[in-house]
Amino acid sequence: MSNGTLVRGAALAALTMLLGLSALAQAQTAQPFAFTHKAARTTVTTPQVAAELLAYAPQGVQAGQPLWLGLSLKHQPQWHTYWKNSGDSGQPTQLEWQLPKGLQAGDIAWPTPKTIPIGPLANYGYEDEVLLPVPVTVAADYKPNAQGGEVVIGLKARWLVCRLECIPEEGEFELRLPARGSVATAGAAFEKAFAASPKAFTASATSVIVVKDGALHLTVDKLPAAWKGQTLSLYPETPEITAPAAPIQQSWQGQVWQARVALTPYRAGDPAHLPVVLATPNNAQALAVSLPIQGVWPAKKEPAALVQNLPAPVVPSADAMGWGFVLALLGAGLGGLLLNLMPCVFPILAIKVLQLAKPEQTRSGRQQQALAYTLGVLASMLALGGLMLALRAAGEGVGWGFQLQNPWVVMALAALFVVVAVNLLGGFEVGQWLPSRWAGAGMEATHPLVSALLTGVLTVAVASPCSAPFMGAAMGMAITLPAWQALMIFAALGLGLALPFLLVGWVPQVASCLPRPGAWMQGFRQLLAYPMMATVVWLVWVLGQQNGLDAAAALLVLLVVLAMLLWASNGYRQVAFLDKATRWHRVGLGAVVLVAAVAGAALGPVAARPGADGHLDVGANLPGTALQAASSSPNASQWQAWSRQRVDYALASGQPVFVDYTAAWCVTCQVNKKTTLNHPDVLAALAQNNVVLLRADWTRPNAEIAQSIASLGRSGVPVYALYWPGQPVQLLPELLTPGGVIEAVGKQSGRAAGS
């Protein structure tokens, strides 16, 4: 079988994947809590937390009768989850219910939290064991279903569990309750949670908060008499207003409690009321009260150091076709040319180039195939670029390589590369999966121009996770231009990617430099399978970073089954029952096994999924995070999770910052990490200059990271930004070297010292 048959089959799969990216991206964004209808279970256990779905319905599920649901979280020692206001960092536990018609879940009745100090930070959350109860309203006309009168409760929960590092986890639960029978076995746990929840307290007319001198001055009158003289804890329900780690200055004037609470310099808003929880020592008693706010809010602090370091907004000039645009076109073309050296692209290109070197190839045939290949590259590159621009116009924070943020695309690429690798090793023939009349009349007789065109499609599919020098600035400019000019930059990128093939097809001197065909080509073809298999290993690792070890294991099962089927298509004569089967029977058998493997990979148990890098530190970049401090040991070589607030605070404190915008699916990022960013000399130079090391992980979609990348004039990763107080931000090249980073740090340090 010819290599062209492989390319046609693989490229068709790649084209299908590219056309499905839009629906996948939208589904991933619009439905973060999609129920998978797994087998019923009420508990999910991870090494950090044992989570259980509980119910409390002493009179059954009846209208007008109490019905409570709740998620119990039992933490391992030193681990904690978060309250509704998580404090300096973190994220509250999120619950999404799937309830029968007639049942309506309310908000979590949050138990009183505790303050959890971590270095210079403070969080509000729970340790040991906590139950998060949720009231459920039963409609007056509610009737249980006819199947035994059971009430089926579905819950998908997501929580962030932290010690010094943080792990985002999630679990899917199902609970079946008798509609008319009492459910009270968890009654003691719910009663304990009710007792731990703050009681509503109506403030007197003299109770107020006054904004003054950069702080909130609270006056609360008519608190319980037994509270007089006690040191109270205060937990603001609105995040990003106060500084959780700052000490509270408090005193009693008779029955009036007065306190001074520091404001955060980077608060989220200027509310007219502030709901707070007041608690006695050890949270023995707690009251929830909403206090009006008087006074004038101070201006939100914008550190001068930060203002000097932020790059100017990327705005194209009126003459967008000027030299800047021309340079962007040249940069995109050169970046596309360098993409051919990536390990997943080079084997595809090498196979096709060697085909053109065969003696039976005419000059005219080589030229036509080169043009067809280029057309395939340009068409798919423009389709990918158009899709990215459309998603950005719709408000999605996507950039170059965005499709690798979707686990399904990662799985599809892994399967595609297995197909290519097994074929390169001679393990199967694509035509054997089709009826003989199709294989002979269709696949083998297909015009070589079609093969070349589809090879171009395949090349773009396998090149899209990679970034090359000169691409970053060009792609960053593309997202600021009108659509037709942006697409010209994508076309230049595609033209650079197709250039080697064009040169072989149209320049005889280049073609004459290729080695003569011979027996060595078979061994070389098999050798090229190993970079493809290495790429599969990397993709499995990427999926594990996105969805955890269970998902990676499920993908490995799928790939093993796929490889077995590919072998069976060629080695069936060695298996008796396959030898007797017709071609269609083999196709049917393969389809059944493959569908089963896909279903197993999709529906396999993934009880808890870690974050993009498996373990995140206390500054995990999650929605609502308001981290205001750098690492407690900024000179340490440990990288911290990026957040905008952490950059702000470090610069305001006079500390330089190095930000690594990265993703598990970015090949260039991983190379730079291994060769440069973890190099002892680089880490020593950064530590010597007191540089805070932050890592913005874009493995999963993250609008805040996407916005930050765009503000730097880039559209994808890797991006390396060096902030120095009093100096403009410096962007390092996409391919790093230890010497280059050390030199950049030294220059910035020298400029700062001389200013």
Side-chain angles (χ1 to χ4, degrees), residues 214-479:
L216 299 180
H217 296 262
L218 288 80
T219 299
V220 186
D221 195 5
K222 297 184 179 179
L223 289 169
W227 286 29
K228 182 179 178 180
Q230 298 191 61
T231 300
L232 305 185
S233 298
L234 182 141
Y235 307 104
E237 295 187 19
T238 304
E240 301 182 30
I241 298 295
T242 63
I248 299 175
Q249 301 174 10
Q250 56 181 292
S251 63
W252 288 88
Q253 303 296 329
Q255 288 296 121
V256 178
W257 181 73
Q258 295 180 333
R260 182 186 184 277
V261 181
L263 287 171
T264 171
Y266 314 106
R267 67 181 183 277
D270 302 334
H273 288 77
L274 183 65
V276 300
V277 172
L278 299 176
T280 57
N282 299 319
N283 290 343
Q285 292 180 297
L287 298 175
V289 58
S290 181
L291 300 173
I293 298 178
Q294 300 175 358
V296 179
W297 289 95
K300 297 178 183 177
K301 186 176 180 181
E302 296 291 343
L306 176 61
V307 174
Q308 295 175 27
N309 279 271
L310 284 178
V314 182
V315 179
S317 63
D319 183 14
M321 294 297 291
W323 283 109
F325 182 67
V326 172
L327 290 175
L329 290 175
L330 293 175
L334 187 54
L337 178 63
L338 294 175
L339 280 179
N340 287 287
L341 301 178
M342 294 299 170
C344 49
V345 180
F346 180 74
I348 302 296
L349 177 67
I351 292 171
K352 201 62 186 174
V353 167
L354 289 178
Q355 284 184 343
L356 293 188
K358 292 182 179 179
E360 61 269 23
Q361 290 283 2
T362 64
R363 180 178 180 182
S364 174
R366 284 196 298 267
Q367 292 174 345
Q368 292 177 9
Q369 289 189 50
L371 290 176
Y373 172 84
T374 303
L375 178 61
V377 169
L378 290 176
S380 49
M381 187 67 75
L382 289 173
L384 189 62
L387 178 57
M388 189 187 91
L389 294 174
L391 289 175
R392 290 188 69 91
E396 300 293 336
V398 298
W400 176 255
F402 70 97
Q403 64 274 22
L404 270 296
Q405 293 176 330
N406 191 296
W408 288 102
V409 177
V410 175
M411 293 174 64
L413 278 176
L416 177 65
F417 289 166
V418 165
V419 171
V420 173
V422 175
N423 180 268
L424 290 174
L425 292 171
F428 83 104
E429 302 290 340
V430 174
Q432 292 174 342
W433 288 89
L434 299 174
S436 56
R437 62 181 182 277
W438 290 10
M443 295 295 289
E444 296 301 333
T446 298
H447 200 284
L449 296 184
V450 177
S451 173
L453 185 144
L454 293 179
T455 304
V457 176
L458 176 63
T459 301
V460 171
V462 300
S464 58
C466 303
S467 183
F470 309 103
M471 278 182 58
M475 294 295 101
M477 185 174 184
I479 64 176

Side-chain angles (χ1 to χ4, degrees), residues 93 99 116 155 168 255 265 295 328 335 561 679 718 722 727:
T93 298
L99 302 176
I116 304 172
L155 169 66
Q255 288 296 121
V561 172
H679 195 283
L722 182 58
Q727 301 295 325

